[in-house]
Amino acid sequence: MRSASDTPIATAPSSPRIRATTIDVPGLTSSKVSPDGRISNRDIGAKLVIVMVGLPARGKSYVTKKLARYLNWLQHDTKIFNVGNRRRIAAGAGGDHVEEPPSPGTNEGTGLVSPDAFTRLDSYYDLSPKSSRSFNAHRRTNSITTSGLDGGMDQSAEFFDPKNKVAADLREKVALETLEELLNFIMEGGGSVGILDATNSTRKRRKAIVDRIRQVAGNELGIIFLESECHDEKLLEANMRLKLQGPDYKGTDPAVALEDFKRRVTMYESSYEPLGDFEERLGMPYIKMIDVGRKIVTHQIRGFLAGQTVYFLLNFHLSARQIWITRHGESHDNVAGRIGGDASLSDEGKRYASALAQFIEFQRKRFHDRQLQKHAMAHLPPRFGDSTPPNPEYTGCCQEDEQGRPLEKNFCVWTSMLKRSIETATDFDEDVYDVKQMRMLNELNAGMMEGHTYEEIRQKWPEDFALRRKDKLHYRYPGAGGESYLDVINRLRAVIVEVERMQDHVLLVAHRVVARVLLAYFLGLKREDVASLDVPLGILYMLEPKPYGVDFKAYKYNPETSWFDELENFELKNEEQKHVEPTIY
Amino acid sequence: MRSASDTPIATAPSSPRIRATTIDVPGLTSSKVSPDGRISNRDIGAKLVIVMVGLPARGKSYVTKKLARYLNWLQHDTKIFNVGNRRRIAAGAGGDHVEEPPSPGTNEGTGLVSPDAFTRLDSYYDLSPKSSRSFNAHRRTNSITTSGLDGGMDQSAEFFDPKNKVAADLREKVALETLEELLNFIMEGGGSVGILDATNSTRKRRKAIVDRIRQVAGNELGIIFLESECHDEKLLEANMRLKLQGPDYKGTDPAVALEDFKRRVTMYESSYEPLGDFEERLGMPYIKMIDVGRKIVTHQIRGFLAGQTVYFLLNFHLSARQIWITRHGESHDNVAGRIGGDASLSDEGKRYASALAQFIEFQRKRFHDRQLQKHAMAHLPPRFGDSTPPNPEYTGCCQEDEQGRPLEKNFCVWTSMLKRSIETATDFDEDVYDVKQMRMLNELNAGMMEGHTYEEIRQKWPEDFALRRKDKLHYRYPGAGGESYLDVINRLRAVIVEVERMQDHVLLVAHRVVARVLLAYFLGLKREDVASLDVPLGILYMLEPKPYGVDFKAYKYNPETSWFDELENFELKNEEQKHVEPTIY
């Protein structure tokens, strides 16, 4: 019997009919094939391959990293398979520009987190030449046989000339090998979403990809093409300048590099076929993003994960702004060591609230002053030798005054609906800050154990205490309203999407578990690290999204000075004070 | 001081700066200006005017009605302002084709709900000639001065000829008067979203609309153009056939009507300017839907409500399928009269579960047989005299077998994670039905009052009992995890969006409050009716979305026959057994 569903029809080998594939939310949905709400290996129709399409310097990797981070945070195992990286390795030119960092939940640490966050991120994405030491291990494990090819093949524009037969064959081979890895991840590795990050700029290549996927995985597996186009000249120029600092041009004079890169793009352009009528006639699902956040075209989007993907992509923008996260000031329950409840701030907590408002006011003004300075220094098109990545904000993405200077941003302060969080925000001037309370930011509800100390719980409910210790991520507190970390992730989703959507600064005055889950999203923490992250009272975290990652800083409240001191060389740790690795993408 | 935000910049008369406009979710967010989470009148930047664009018979009214129903259900006051309706009134040709039914929360009942649901919906949207009695009251209240114009102006194609000066002036006047009403609703009437439903087919008209909105409401108020295009010939033909049964052609021979309607469309086409480059150069936000659900283009979408709107529109489709809703079978707590808890089914409840599985199996097969019959009878293009609205499902929207016949649909059975709901679904054959449990479908959590009878609550917590009685919609049960109806609405949102997205049949095995909230969405119930809706155990509701509304039926479990009897002339009632008016749009 064949059945109609919202997934494509196929003769599945393992099942007598094509099953419906509907909403799967880890922790919130459950079925026989998927008791934990994660997409089961049998539900191939619920899984998704996202095939990137686009010329170089169109922000494809930016999009894939952010999307993978979001989907992984939602507990859908997602991995990026970057063809460019493998191409460089295969040609022996080095694969340092890792556009496919290990996904959370795997243990492929890269061992690369230098103390200063900004430097760390630059080097992580290899925007600066100093990090060449980084990925030797990665290179080894991903090494691909380059039979018949000399190592160290030139990666300049000529390599990308369609008439260069040897190079074209190599590129073809690498692309298909990368696809095999992706399919293996989906079919055998328990993966839910595989993202193939490459230019895939011709119909022929795209057809070959679809054919191979159908051959290996059948007709059920969802496939979406995701194209990034840039029509905005200034945005394109900014993207290209970022590329000049990438691995293909390490040590090359910027002027020479820019010229070569432009030639490479021209090579691709000569044979580039954007998504459009051809795919529409075939009924092929696609998403086209034009000028990151300006315009989006979607075609035949079906399936739950595909819909979630579009919804998330809709909210992309490149505005510069800061996201601040802290826990509430000390409460009377904190003093007593009780969890949950709805206590007010202690006197110490009130002093924290006062210092917080003053420090944020200082930082808010400082950010704007810096924006004005940067603006005064910016020049487009870039001058030779200029290696400062221009902020795409200055390419038409933000509001400007009559002189073209960036306008001061709004600043939102969001608290939970619990007293200790609301009271921590009382010292903000509501004429300047937009203060809002959100139930989604409330602390994890400990059900019947609310109001007890951990010691009491251990004594009264030893079994629950042990169960929770064993798996804090999935453990749900018993009793009315009791929650798990997964429940908190799910209710914070609306907050995350809103933070991504808006271009204003925001301070989130949260609680221990909520702060952990928020940091897990913004820093791409591994699944097993989330529930044990050390997030003490009195620390203020700052995240500033950048085109290739996130600038991350931490400040510690100093009760002596009623001010915050920046924690130099700050590293995230778990409760046992072991280092926690962010995998920001 | 001017500030940058994600809302357009303007010099607001009432505030020294343009405030940030972020997520507002009634019941979940709160701020000084919006304590209840609804958009305050001061937050003009968070409000939205949606200006429809599109030729006649492009499904504009279908889109507006569904969107308004969703936004109203989310407690964002939304109203449709239909220019065509006012045009007919102004020209004295009758305004019976009410494309702007009263919004939930107002008391403008139409008094038009005939017993049989299918007939009721046809007549509600005036698809059949028999309902001419319907809207006299409405006509009176909305009457517009038609000074200098004879009543009874001909509404045939010539009326729409751009060269017909008198008619053009009238149309212009009516369009602007409708816009004034809309702006009044937004600026003075506490409305959050106003939808201007008209063709707005020229740039000139659209510019006039934007200019007038900016003049009245300033630069902050969000404006989005929403265009519906049909490229699919069969879909267009189907849409046109629906129009022939509308008010403009009442009593006209179908052949003549079709010819006239096509001429009218040609008149519009001659001056039609679709959204595109022009709007993009101006940075004007727009959404373009192409062939309902096939393709969507979004441009410069900013703001929370705008994002919600796009997300909802992404999930549109016209597939024929059935949505079934029932409460679980009788539980031991039901027998004892206790609320909440997690009891198992009583023996009576188990018998209900068994009958339910058998009855649904019967209905599932029956639906498919009917689809096959309809398919055999369908003919495109329509023959003269054929007044059966063709189901657009047969115009390329659904999966077909080799002979072009519709394939059998999947059937999903979704329960909550509570025993009484899960057990009600145990008799479904999991080889045929996709059974899934969802925490979102759990009953409203009564916090510290879980497990008590209403009588106990009245005695133990008389104040709470009275508070809840006074305003059940907003009342939140005290204690850990205690919820309000608004909390339930918010967690059911993911379920509703998923039901809209998928094309499979679905049975939702819910609880009292959850069933009320689900029915409120599908039938567009007024806000004040939701929490008192009479939804007894043992009733099975069936909703079948149609191009112009929803076919609604109710069946009652018969313990004697272990079967379900259709309730003829079924009307929704509240707990005092008073009639409840659905305002399905």
Side-chain angles (χ1 to χ4, degrees), chain A residues 313-338:
Chain A
L313 295 177
L314 279 170
N315 296 300
F316 270 37
H317 64 81
L318 297 172
S319 266
R321 49 82 184 254
Q322 296 184 325
I323 298 155
W324 297 83
I325 298 172
T326 188
R327 287 175 64 187
H328 54 83
E330 184 191 78
S331 74
H332 293 302
D333 275 342
N334 291 138
V335 177
R338 286 187 298 263

mmCIF file of all heavy atoms in Angstrom, chain A residues 313-338:
data_model
loop_
_atom_site.group_PDB
_atom_site.id
_atom_site.type_symbol
_atom_site.label_atom_id
_atom_site.label_comp_id
_atom_site.label_asym_id
_atom_site.label_seq_id
_atom_site.Cartn_x
_atom_site.Cartn_y
_atom_site.Cartn_z
ATOM 1 N N LEU A 313 16.514 31.031 9.369
ATOM 2 C CA LEU A 313 17.235 31.834 8.379
ATOM 3 C C LEU A 313 16.578 33.193 8.147
ATOM 4 O O LEU A 313 17.233 34.167 7.807
ATOM 5 C CB LEU A 313 17.324 31.087 7.039
ATOM 6 C CG LEU A 313 18.131 29.788 7.024
ATOM 7 C CD1 LEU A 313 18.063 29.133 5.657
ATOM 8 C CD2 LEU A 313 19.587 30.044 7.408
ATOM 9 N N LEU A 314 15.269 33.231 8.328
ATOM 10 C CA LEU A 314 14.523 34.474 8.127
ATOM 11 C C LEU A 314 15.030 35.597 9.023
ATOM 12 O O LEU A 314 14.830 36.764 8.743
ATOM 13 C CB LEU A 314 13.034 34.255 8.434
ATOM 14 C CG LEU A 314 12.188 33.622 7.344
ATOM 15 C CD1 LEU A 314 10.829 33.260 7.917
ATOM 16 C CD2 LEU A 314 12.031 34.584 6.172
ATOM 17 N N ASN A 315 15.664 35.205 10.141
ATOM 18 C CA ASN A 315 16.023 36.209 11.138
ATOM 19 C C ASN A 315 17.485 36.632 11.090
ATOM 20 O O ASN A 315 17.968 37.283 12.009
ATOM 21 C CB ASN A 315 15.668 35.673 12.526
ATOM 22 C CG ASN A 315 14.184 35.467 12.681
ATOM 23 O OD1 ASN A 315 13.419 36.423 12.549
ATOM 24 N ND2 ASN A 315 13.757 34.247 12.908
ATOM 25 N N PHE A 316 18.184 36.260 10.018
ATOM 26 C CA PHE A 316 19.593 36.611 9.923
ATOM 27 C C PHE A 316 19.797 38.098 9.662
ATOM 28 O O PHE A 316 19.073 38.709 8.904
ATOM 29 C CB PHE A 316 20.237 35.831 8.762
ATOM 30 C CG PHE A 316 20.786 34.511 9.193
ATOM 31 C CD1 PHE A 316 20.140 33.756 10.140
ATOM 32 C CD2 PHE A 316 21.954 34.021 8.645
ATOM 33 C CE1 PHE A 316 20.639 32.526 10.542
ATOM 34 C CE2 PHE A 316 22.466 32.793 9.036
ATOM 35 C CZ PHE A 316 21.809 32.054 9.972
ATOM 36 N N HIS A 317 20.800 38.649 10.298
ATOM 37 C CA HIS A 317 21.236 39.998 9.952
ATOM 38 C C HIS A 317 22.683 40.125 10.389
ATOM 39 O O HIS A 317 23.199 39.279 11.125
ATOM 40 C CB HIS A 317 20.361 41.065 10.600
ATOM 41 C CG HIS A 317 20.431 41.059 12.092
ATOM 42 N ND1 HIS A 317 21.456 41.651 12.783
ATOM 43 C CD2 HIS A 317 19.631 40.518 13.022
ATOM 44 C CE1 HIS A 317 21.267 41.486 14.077
ATOM 45 N NE2 HIS A 317 20.164 40.779 14.256
ATOM 46 N N LEU A 318 23.353 41.176 9.936
ATOM 47 C CA LEU A 318 24.768 41.345 10.254
ATOM 48 C C LEU A 318 25.022 42.569 11.121
ATOM 49 O O LEU A 318 26.128 43.078 11.186
ATOM 50 C CB LEU A 318 25.588 41.435 8.956
ATOM 51 C CG LEU A 318 25.565 40.191 8.054
ATOM 52 C CD1 LEU A 318 26.250 40.481 6.730
ATOM 53 C CD2 LEU A 318 26.248 39.016 8.739
ATOM 54 N N SER A 319 23.975 43.062 11.771
ATOM 55 C CA SER A 319 24.142 44.250 12.608
ATOM 56 C C SER A 319 25.100 43.986 13.769
ATOM 57 O O SER A 319 25.048 42.927 14.388
ATOM 58 C CB SER A 319 22.789 44.676 13.183
ATOM 59 O OG SER A 319 22.208 45.638 12.360
ATOM 60 N N ALA A 320 25.946 44.967 14.044
ATOM 61 C CA ALA A 320 26.831 44.864 15.207
ATOM 62 C C ALA A 320 26.022 45.230 16.452
ATOM 63 O O ALA A 320 25.362 46.264 16.488
ATOM 64 C CB ALA A 320 28.011 45.802 15.041
ATOM 65 N N ARG A 321 26.080 44.389 17.444
ATOM 66 C CA ARG A 321 25.420 44.683 18.723
ATOM 67 C C ARG A 321 25.947 43.689 19.752
ATOM 68 O O ARG A 321 26.593 42.708 19.407
ATOM 69 C CB ARG A 321 23.895 44.618 18.614
ATOM 70 C CG ARG A 321 23.327 43.376 17.953
ATOM 71 C CD ARG A 321 23.208 42.215 18.832
ATOM 72 N NE ARG A 321 22.753 41.040 18.098
ATOM 73 C CZ ARG A 321 21.534 40.560 18.191
ATOM 74 N NH1 ARG A 321 20.654 41.116 18.983
ATOM 75 N NH2 ARG A 321 21.193 39.456 17.523
ATOM 76 N N GLN A 322 25.637 43.964 21.000
ATOM 77 C CA GLN A 322 26.144 43.124 22.078
ATOM 78 C C GLN A 322 25.028 42.405 22.812
ATOM 79 O O GLN A 322 23.951 42.958 23.022
ATOM 80 C CB GLN A 322 26.952 43.983 23.055
ATOM 81 C CG GLN A 322 28.191 44.571 22.410
ATOM 82 C CD GLN A 322 29.072 45.341 23.382
ATOM 83 O OE1 GLN A 322 28.565 45.989 24.294
ATOM 84 N NE2 GLN A 322 30.379 45.269 23.178
ATOM 85 N N ILE A 323 25.318 41.167 23.178
ATOM 86 C CA ILE A 323 24.386 40.357 23.949
ATOM 87 C C ILE A 323 25.043 40.079 25.299
ATOM 88 O O ILE A 323 26.132 39.499 25.355
ATOM 89 C CB ILE A 323 24.085 39.037 23.215
ATOM 90 C CG1 ILE A 323 23.413 39.331 21.867
ATOM 91 C CG2 ILE A 323 23.220 38.115 24.071
ATOM 92 C CD1 ILE A 323 23.600 38.241 20.839
ATOM 93 N N TRP A 324 24.411 40.547 26.363
ATOM 94 C CA TRP A 324 24.953 40.378 27.707
ATOM 95 C C TRP A 324 24.123 39.357 28.469
ATOM 96 O O TRP A 324 22.901 39.337 28.360
ATOM 97 C CB TRP A 324 24.934 41.714 28.454
ATOM 98 C CG TRP A 324 25.793 42.788 27.862
ATOM 99 C CD1 TRP A 324 25.453 43.616 26.834
ATOM 100 C CD2 TRP A 324 27.122 43.147 28.261
ATOM 101 N NE1 TRP A 324 26.494 44.476 26.563
ATOM 102 C CE2 TRP A 324 27.528 44.210 27.428
ATOM 103 C CE3 TRP A 324 28.004 42.679 29.240
ATOM 104 C CZ2 TRP A 324 28.779 44.822 27.536
ATOM 105 C CZ3 TRP A 324 29.243 43.282 29.357
ATOM 106 C CH2 TRP A 324 29.632 44.338 28.516
ATOM 107 N N ILE A 325 24.784 38.507 29.234
ATOM 108 C CA ILE A 325 24.084 37.491 30.028
ATOM 109 C C ILE A 325 24.650 37.508 31.450
ATOM 110 O O ILE A 325 25.864 37.529 31.646
ATOM 111 C CB ILE A 325 24.287 36.083 29.431
ATOM 112 C CG1 ILE A 325 23.703 36.014 28.011
ATOM 113 C CG2 ILE A 325 23.648 35.001 30.318
ATOM 114 C CD1 ILE A 325 24.025 34.731 27.268
ATOM 115 N N THR A 326 23.772 37.513 32.440
ATOM 116 C CA THR A 326 24.212 37.367 33.824
ATOM 117 C C THR A 326 23.128 36.663 34.624
ATOM 118 O O THR A 326 21.984 36.573 34.171
ATOM 119 C CB THR A 326 24.539 38.726 34.474
ATOM 120 O OG1 THR A 326 25.145 38.480 35.757
ATOM 121 C CG2 THR A 326 23.285 39.572 34.678
ATOM 122 N N ARG A 327 23.499 36.120 35.770
ATOM 123 C CA ARG A 327 22.480 35.639 36.690
ATOM 124 C C ARG A 327 22.011 36.813 37.544
ATOM 125 O O ARG A 327 22.668 37.850 37.618
ATOM 126 C CB ARG A 327 23.038 34.521 37.577
ATOM 127 C CG ARG A 327 23.227 33.210 36.823
ATOM 128 C CD ARG A 327 23.899 32.168 37.688
ATOM 129 N NE ARG A 327 23.085 31.804 38.843
ATOM 130 C CZ ARG A 327 23.506 31.018 39.827
ATOM 131 N NH1 ARG A 327 24.739 30.519 39.806
ATOM 132 N NH2 ARG A 327 22.713 30.735 40.848
ATOM 133 N N HIS A 328 20.850 36.660 38.180
ATOM 134 C CA HIS A 328 20.329 37.665 39.100
ATOM 135 C C HIS A 328 21.333 37.904 40.236
ATOM 136 O O HIS A 328 22.235 37.092 40.462
ATOM 137 C CB HIS A 328 19.007 37.162 39.681
ATOM 138 C CG HIS A 328 19.154 35.806 40.297
ATOM 139 N ND1 HIS A 328 19.630 35.624 41.580
ATOM 140 C CD2 HIS A 328 18.953 34.562 39.806
ATOM 141 C CE1 HIS A 328 19.706 34.342 41.851
ATOM 142 N NE2 HIS A 328 19.294 33.667 40.779
ATOM 143 N N GLY A 329 21.154 38.977 40.966
ATOM 144 C CA GLY A 329 21.943 39.190 42.175
ATOM 145 C C GLY A 329 21.581 38.164 43.253
ATOM 146 O O GLY A 329 20.563 37.476 43.144
ATOM 147 N N GLU A 330 22.402 38.092 44.264
ATOM 148 C CA GLU A 330 22.167 37.112 45.341
ATOM 149 C C GLU A 330 20.785 37.281 45.977
ATOM 150 O O GLU A 330 20.375 38.393 46.311
ATOM 151 C CB GLU A 330 23.240 37.290 46.425
ATOM 152 C CG GLU A 330 23.168 36.270 47.543
ATOM 153 C CD GLU A 330 24.078 36.660 48.699
ATOM 154 O OE1 GLU A 330 23.682 37.555 49.491
ATOM 155 O OE2 GLU A 330 25.178 36.088 48.796
ATOM 156 N N SER A 331 20.073 36.142 46.149
ATOM 157 C CA SER A 331 18.741 36.196 46.765
ATOM 158 C C SER A 331 18.805 35.590 48.163
ATOM 159 O O SER A 331 19.797 34.966 48.534
ATOM 160 C CB SER A 331 17.740 35.398 45.929
ATOM 161 O OG SER A 331 17.964 34.011 46.116
ATOM 162 N N HIS A 332 17.716 35.773 48.923
ATOM 163 C CA HIS A 332 17.679 35.176 50.260
ATOM 164 C C HIS A 332 17.765 33.656 50.191
ATOM 165 O O HIS A 332 18.341 33.023 51.074
ATOM 166 C CB HIS A 332 16.403 35.626 50.984
ATOM 167 C CG HIS A 332 16.403 37.092 51.298
ATOM 168 N ND1 HIS A 332 17.383 37.690 52.060
ATOM 169 C CD2 HIS A 332 15.565 38.092 50.914
ATOM 170 C CE1 HIS A 332 17.139 38.995 52.156
ATOM 171 N NE2 HIS A 332 16.041 39.265 51.456
ATOM 172 N N ASP A 333 17.188 33.062 49.119
ATOM 173 C CA ASP A 333 17.293 31.609 48.955
ATOM 174 C C ASP A 333 18.732 31.196 48.664
ATOM 175 O O ASP A 333 19.175 30.141 49.121
ATOM 176 C CB ASP A 333 16.387 31.129 47.811
ATOM 177 C CG ASP A 333 14.954 30.885 48.282
ATOM 178 O OD1 ASP A 333 14.751 30.756 49.510
ATOM 179 O OD2 ASP A 333 14.047 30.828 47.429
ATOM 180 N N ASN A 334 19.460 32.006 47.897
ATOM 181 C CA ASN A 334 20.862 31.701 47.652
ATOM 182 C C ASN A 334 21.627 31.635 48.970
ATOM 183 O O ASN A 334 22.435 30.737 49.197
ATOM 184 C CB ASN A 334 21.520 32.779 46.771
ATOM 185 C CG ASN A 334 21.011 32.771 45.341
ATOM 186 O OD1 ASN A 334 20.764 33.810 44.752
ATOM 187 N ND2 ASN A 334 20.837 31.582 44.777
ATOM 188 N N VAL A 335 21.320 32.601 49.845
ATOM 189 C CA VAL A 335 22.001 32.642 51.134
ATOM 190 C C VAL A 335 21.720 31.357 51.906
ATOM 191 O O VAL A 335 22.604 30.773 52.509
ATOM 192 C CB VAL A 335 21.541 33.878 51.943
ATOM 193 C CG1 VAL A 335 22.186 33.892 53.328
ATOM 194 C CG2 VAL A 335 21.861 35.162 51.173
ATOM 195 N N ALA A 336 20.455 30.884 51.822
ATOM 196 C CA ALA A 336 20.060 29.690 52.563
ATOM 197 C C ALA A 336 20.388 28.394 51.813
ATOM 198 O O ALA A 336 20.218 27.305 52.364
ATOM 199 C CB ALA A 336 18.563 29.739 52.864
ATOM 200 N N GLY A 337 20.817 28.514 50.559
ATOM 201 C CA GLY A 337 21.177 27.318 49.789
ATOM 202 C C GLY A 337 19.986 26.540 49.258
ATOM 203 O O GLY A 337 20.121 25.398 48.849
ATOM 204 N N ARG A 338 18.797 27.180 49.245
ATOM 205 C CA ARG A 338 17.614 26.490 48.719
ATOM 206 C C ARG A 338 17.510 26.705 47.208
ATOM 207 O O ARG A 338 17.821 27.779 46.708
ATOM 208 C CB ARG A 338 16.344 27.049 49.390
ATOM 209 C CG ARG A 338 16.144 26.599 50.810
ATOM 210 C CD ARG A 338 14.782 27.059 51.331
ATOM 211 N NE ARG A 338 14.683 28.519 51.351
ATOM 212 C CZ ARG A 338 14.904 29.284 52.442
ATOM 213 N NH1 ARG A 338 15.230 28.714 53.572
ATOM 214 N NH2 ARG A 338 14.781 30.594 52.369
#
